[in-house]
Amino acid sequence: MSFPCHRPGQVAGLLQLLLLTLDWLILQASHPVFEGDDVDLRCRGKKEKDINEKIYYRNNKVIRRDYNSEVVRLHSVSRDNSKYHCTTSRESFWIRREEISKPLKIQVQELFPHPVLRASSSQPIEGSPVSLKCETWLPPLRSHIQLQFRFFREDKVLGSGWIDSPEFQILTMWNEDSGSYWCQAKAVTPNIIKKSLGSQIHVQRIPVSDVNLEIQSPGGQLIEGKDLVLICSVAKGTGTVTFSWHREGTERRLGRKVQRALSAELQIAAVRGQDAGRYYCSADNLYGPILSKRIRVTLRSPVSRPVLTVRAPRARAVVGDVVELRCETQSGSPPILYRFYHEDVTLGSSSAPSGGGVSFNLSLTTEHSGNYSCEANNSLGAQHSEAVPLRVTVPVSRPVLTFNPARAQVVVGDLLELRCEAQRGSPPILYWFNHEDVILGNTSAPFGGGASFNLSLTTEHSGNYSCGADNGLGVQRSYMVTLNLTGLSTNKVIHITVGIIGWLLSMLGLAATASLVSHFRTQRKSGGLRATGTPSYSPKEHREPSRSGPSNTDPHRPIHSEPAALMELQPVYSNVSPGHDNLVYSQIWSSHHTKENPAPSPKTHQKDEEPAIIYSEVKKAHPDDHEGQAHEDAAENYENLPCAPLALDR
């Protein structure tokens, strides 16, 4: 017997109809059914009109009573092997009968199988990544259902929870990540969750090796006062590494860090000189500490402010001396470059490769006076010293002695200025004046230049004169200058004349006085002006009145050059005025004779004999003049003048 080809669903329906022909009541279910699906149950009898109530059972328990609906829906069935049936009651020939369907076991198919967790490596190297994949699949009839996945290590969820992708990436696996891994798969609708079996992953750790310590500092130099960075690294090693840093001679470690890295650094702030030494580090990742090689840490410190000292061969630096300028800083890492300055001009530079100070020699000239300083620099910053003044002292040169007035001959009574001056020499300069080997006096020139000494000449002052100069650097003496004194000065002549006149007046007595008074009256009657003032004299040299004939004397030759012992003076004088109110002249007549030829009186001069007349100009004293001024005028305002012969009283 052959049957036409039918689909599986159609075949099931036909079978149910066939059974229906045999049984009065049957229970039908939708087909196919996957876990999580909703299932429609139909309880059908041969004569639906005779059925009053339908009762549905699952595993012999009532799940629904229905009077009108043809379909009862079961939501999200599972694969629990439940059995379903239904019952109803009917009347047949006034007899109530209960009909029962045969049990129906719904074949619920698995929506997706339990997932399987697969790892890219079950023994990954520590620090390497691992990929996890949760594998499962949906039947073609339910391929539209969306699945989600979740991954676990032991009981801890990895990541953020449910994800749409069946793969999960662990970027870095560490030793403590070893354990059992599993996953879950979930159908969004219906809500069906299935989990995989556990999968063991054991992370392999690599011991640390080749531990190295290096120093890092700003600018590549380890400078005192700056931060020191010590970097400890390993060439190999996985997992959590414990780094520690140490300095020889110190039991206490400098620092410790635990981290998952191949290197770590320790920063020491503001290192000082005591931080220098030998450093090392260690690394350990549970296999025992491995030590690095030791490295020496040497600090470079900036230079301190240098000190400049000037060393001279004597207390006072002198031109020609060689002075040593020494510049030295008390601290600072070598090499150190020093520069020397005079004011703002660089004299030179010198390097100290091993530290310490340096010197610079300078041969002094007069231009080297001023302020000196130096600079120290070791590339960590320059420092300048304080300025040190240096005064270069110049020894005095040979002084020059001069006379003032500077004429060929001076005479007794003159006021002579001796001037001594050195053309070179640092002040103060002490000058002194010598007559032969006798010191006349000394004087100081605090600001340099020369000095003078005034000398009122006497007959003892002829001879050789010299002067000396000294500013503490050695005595210099001038050349000798000879002074020749000749006779008496005009001032002395006047003094002698006045003295002789006084003596003669005292000897002649009243007779000489009467003769003089008579002579004065005769002068007034003859038209002479009224005489005022007193005799005066000058310390300056005078000259004789001009006389005609070859007997005139040399105008440069003093009158006192005539020997006083060869003449006998018999003077007659009177005060006369040449017509000026402020001038008074003392007129003195003097004549001389030998013993064999006595001198005639003034009134009995021979006709061709001319008297020698000397005038002294004296300024009158006014009533309103002060006393000091009058004395000053009387002492200073005079002049000896030659006069032409006056007519004698006949």
Side-chain angles (χ1 to χ4, degrees):
M1 184 176 185
S2 62
F3 295 92
C5 183
H6 296 283
R7 294 180 180 179
Q10 293 175 341
V11 173
L14 291 175
L15 289 176
Q16 288 181 353
L17 291 175
L18 181 61
L19 291 175
L20 184 59
T21 60
L22 299 177
D23 296 327
W24 196 92
L25 186 66
I26 63 172
L27 180 64
Q28 298 175 327
S30 58
H31 188 79
V33 178
F34 293 91
E35 55 185 343
D37 285 353
D38 293 341
V39 177
D40 292 338
L41 297 178
R42 290 183 177 87
C43 187
R44 301 178 68 178
K46 289 183 177 181
K47 293 181 180 180
E48 286 290 324
K49 62 181 181 177
D50 294 336
I51 298 175
N52 294 324
E53 180 185 23
K54 298 176 182 178
I55 301 174
Y56 294 87
Y57 295 86
R58 180 174 61 191
N59 297 328
N60 298 322
K61 291 182 179 180
V62 177
I63 59 173
R64 182 80 174 266
R65 291 178 181 272
D66 187 75
Y67 294 95
N68 298 319
S69 300
E70 292 184 357
V71 177
V72 174
R73 176 162 291 181
L74 301 177
H75 296 285
S76 187
V77 296
S78 63
R79 300 179 63 192
D80 54 2
N81 295 321
S82 296
K83 292 181 179 180
Y84 297 85
H85 72 277
C86 65
T87 63
T88 185
S89 62
R90 67 183 180 87
E91 292 181 0
S92 174
F93 301 106
W94 300 281
I95 300 174
R96 187 176 186 83
R97 298 182 64 175
E98 183 178 4
E99 300 288 344
I100 300 175
S101 71
K102 291 182 178 180
L104 174 64
K105 185 177 181 179
I106 301 175
Q107 297 294 324
V108 180
Q109 301 181 49
E110 189 177 41
L111 181 60
F112 57 88
H114 284 274
V116 176
L117 180 68
R118 300 187 185 279
S120 60
S121 175
S122 61
Q123 292 183 340
I125 300 300
E126 191 172 27
S128 62
V130 169
S131 294
L132 302 177
K133 187 174 183 180
C134 192
E135 294 183 347
T136 187
W137 59 89
L138 289 168
L141 294 177
R142 294 295 185 266
S143 61
H144 62 280
I145 294 178
Q146 180 181 0
L147 295 180
Q148 289 185 334
F149 304 89
R150 186 165 56 174
F151 297 84
F152 295 83
R153 182 184 72 244
E154 306 298 345
D155 294 330
K156 183 179 179 181
V157 177
L158 302 178
S160 59
W162 292 105
I163 59 176
D164 295 333
S165 173
E167 294 185 2
F168 182 80
Q169 185 80 17
I170 301 176
L171 298 178
T172 307
M173 293 292 288
W174 305 109
N175 182 261
E176 54 269 27
D177 293 333
S178 298
S180 177
Y181 287 77
W182 54 279
C183 68
Q184 287 180 334
K186 179 182 74 170
V188 178
T189 303
N191 186 19
I192 298 175
I193 300 176
K194 296 181 181 182
K195 77 172 188 175
S196 70
L197 296 176
S199 179
Q200 290 294 325
I201 297 178
H202 181 68
V203 180
Q204 302 296 315
R205 170 163 288 183
I206 299 177
V208 295
S209 61
D210 297 333
V211 181
N212 183 57
L213 177 66
E214 59 180 328
I215 296 175
Q216 185 182 65
S217 59
Q221 299 186 84
L222 189 56
I223 304 172
E224 185 175 358
K226 302 295 183 179
D227 295 345
L228 169 64
V229 179
L230 301 174
I231 301 175
C232 189
S233 62
V234 296
K236 295 180 180 180
T238 60
T240 301
V241 182
T242 301
F243 296 92
S244 61
W245 291 264
H246 310 268
R247 184 176 70 242
E248 280 188 349
T250 304
E251 295 182 0
R252 183 180 178 183
R253 65 188 176 202
L254 303 176
R256 178 177 181 270
K257 285 187 177 182
V258 179
Q259 59 188 46
R260 293 169 178 168
L262 295 178
S263 66
E265 64 180 40
L266 176 69
Q267 180 172 329
I268 302 176
V271 292
R272 293 290 180 262
Q274 59 267 26
D275 294 322
R278 289 164 58 89
Y279 286 75
Y280 65 95
C281 71
S282 68
D284 182 15
N285 63 348
L286 303 180
Y287 289 95
I290 305 298
L291 302 182
S292 71
K293 292 182 178 180
R294 286 160 172 76
I295 61 173
R296 180 172 296 279
V297 173
T298 303
L299 302 183
R300 295 205 68 206
S301 59
V303 294
S304 61
R305 189 172 193 180
V307 176
L308 177 67
T309 55
V310 180
R311 299 174 181 174
R314 64 190 87 191
R316 298 171 65 186
V318 182
V319 170
D321 285 352
V322 176
V323 298
E324 177 189 5
L325 306 179
R326 182 163 184 83
C327 189
E328 186 170 3
T329 178
Q330 297 301 315
S331 63
S333 301
I336 303 174
L337 178 64
Y338 291 94
R339 287 187 175 88
F340 296 86
Y341 296 91
H342 176 212
E343 304 298 347
D344 294 329
V345 179
T346 303
L347 297 175
S349 62
S350 182
S351 178
S354 304
V358 297
S359 298
F360 182 83
N361 293 329
L362 184 65
S363 181
L364 297 180
T365 65
T366 55
E367 291 78 15
H368 284 147
S369 292
N371 293 322
Y372 287 79
S373 62
C374 69
E375 178 187 83
N377 190 353
N378 64 349
S379 75
L380 301 179
Q383 291 288 339
H384 213 83
S385 72
E386 294 183 354
V388 177
L390 175 64
R391 182 186 175 192
V392 179
T393 306
V394 180
V396 292
S397 60
R398 181 187 293 273
V400 176
L401 178 65
T402 57
F403 293 155
N404 186 25
R407 52 177 178 259
Q409 291 182 338
V410 291
V411 296
V412 173
D414 281 354
L415 185 64
L416 182 66
E417 177 189 9
L418 308 180
R419 181 163 184 83
C420 188
E421 184 171 4
Q423 297 301 314
R424 295 188 312 276
S426 300
I429 302 175
L430 177 65
Y431 292 97
W432 62 90
F433 300 85
N434 294 340
H435 176 211
E436 301 299 345
D437 294 331
V438 178
I439 297 178
L440 299 176
N442 59 61
T443 184
S444 176
F447 304 107
S452 298
F453 183 81
N454 293 327
L455 184 64
S456 181
L457 297 178
T458 65
T459 55
E460 291 82 7
H461 285 149
S462 291
N464 295 322
Y465 286 80
S466 64
C467 69
D470 186 14
N471 62 351
L473 301 177
V475 177
Q476 291 289 338
R477 297 183 181 276
S478 70
Y479 292 110
M480 291 288 185
V481 179
T482 303
L483 177 66
N484 294 317
L485 293 177
T486 58
L488 299 176
S489 66
T490 303
N491 189 34
K492 292 295 183 179
V493 172
I494 293 175
H495 275 285
I496 294 174
T497 303
V498 172
I500 294 175
I501 292 174
W503 180 77
L504 291 175
L505 289 175
S506 64
M507 295 298 295
L508 294 177
L510 294 176
T513 302
S515 176
L516 290 173
V517 170
S518 175
H519 178 69
F520 292 156
R521 289 178 180 175
T522 305
Q523 292 291 333
R524 293 191 189 97
K525 289 180 181 181
S526 64
L529 296 177
R530 180 180 180 180
T532 61
T534 57
S536 178
Y537 56 90
S538 169
K540 298 179 182 180
E541 71 169 302
H542 67 275
R543 292 175 295 178
E544 291 188 5
S546 300
R547 303 182 65 177
S548 60
S551 62
N552 290 349
T553 61
D554 185 352
H556 297 290
R557 183 178 179 181
I559 190 171
H560 62 264
S561 60
E562 294 290 338
L566 300 179
M567 63 178 66
E568 181 179 352
L569 299 177
Q570 296 187 12
V572 178
Y573 73 93
S574 64
N575 293 336
V576 297
S577 174
H580 302 285
D581 293 339
N582 61 337
L583 296 177
V584 176
Y585 290 93
S586 294
Q587 176 178 311
I588 302 173
W589 295 357
S590 61
S591 60
H592 55 84
H593 60 275
T594 60
K595 294 181 178 181
E596 291 80 5
N597 187 17
S601 66
K603 293 185 178 182
T604 59
H605 279 295
Q606 296 180 7
K607 185 175 183 179
D608 54 353
E609 186 179 4
E610 295 180 2
I613 301 173
I614 297 174
Y615 291 95
S616 292
E617 176 183 328
V618 182
K619 184 177 180 181
K620 284 185 178 182
H622 297 281
D624 56 349
D625 288 342
H626 296 289
E627 181 179 357
Q629 183 177 354
H631 287 292
E632 179 183 357
D633 293 341
E636 295 180 1
N637 295 285
Y638 61 84
E639 182 179 0
N640 292 334
L641 302 175
C643 181
L646 298 176
L648 300 176
D649 292 341
R650 283 181 167 72

